[in-house]
Amino acid sequence: MSSNAAELYKLIEANPQKKQDLFRQALQDPKGAMKAICELGKELNLPVTSEEVKEYLATIEDLDTKQWLIKARGGL
């Protein structure tokens, strides 16, 4: 399922509004943001678990993603 996490990340990256919404949610409610990511995966037929998302995000070398992880660390 880790390939689902990669595909889901690509789709979120391609949708600036969704990406911004998730970022804002992560700042206020990190666990809720993770839940929203997993729910989005289900909706898009790309099911992921929060562990899979965390593992995938740990492999990303993108500076913006790293900053997001630092800010959202409490829930991730």
Side-chain angles (χ1 to χ4, degrees), residues 4-68:
N4 283 352
E7 286 300 311
L8 184 57
Y9 181 79
K10 288 178 191 174
L11 292 173
I12 291 170
E13 279 287 299
N15 183 334
Q17 184 61 51
K18 178 57 84 179
K19 182 179 174 182
Q20 187 67 19
D21 290 346
L22 287 169
F23 178 75
R24 285 185 183 135
Q25 184 175 7
L27 292 176
Q28 296 175 8
D29 177 17
K31 290 182 186 203
M34 182 60 75
K35 183 178 176 186
I37 290 168
C38 292
E39 288 175 4
L40 180 62
K42 280 184 194 175
E43 290 172 19
L44 298 174
N45 201 27
L46 293 168
V48 293
T49 65
S50 59
E51 270 310 306
E52 290 169 329
V53 173
K54 289 181 216 178
E55 288 173 16
Y56 178 74
L57 290 175
T59 69
I60 300 292
E61 293 300 323
D62 175 47
L63 182 59
D64 290 339
T65 300
K66 296 292 182 187
Q67 287 296 100
W68 182 83

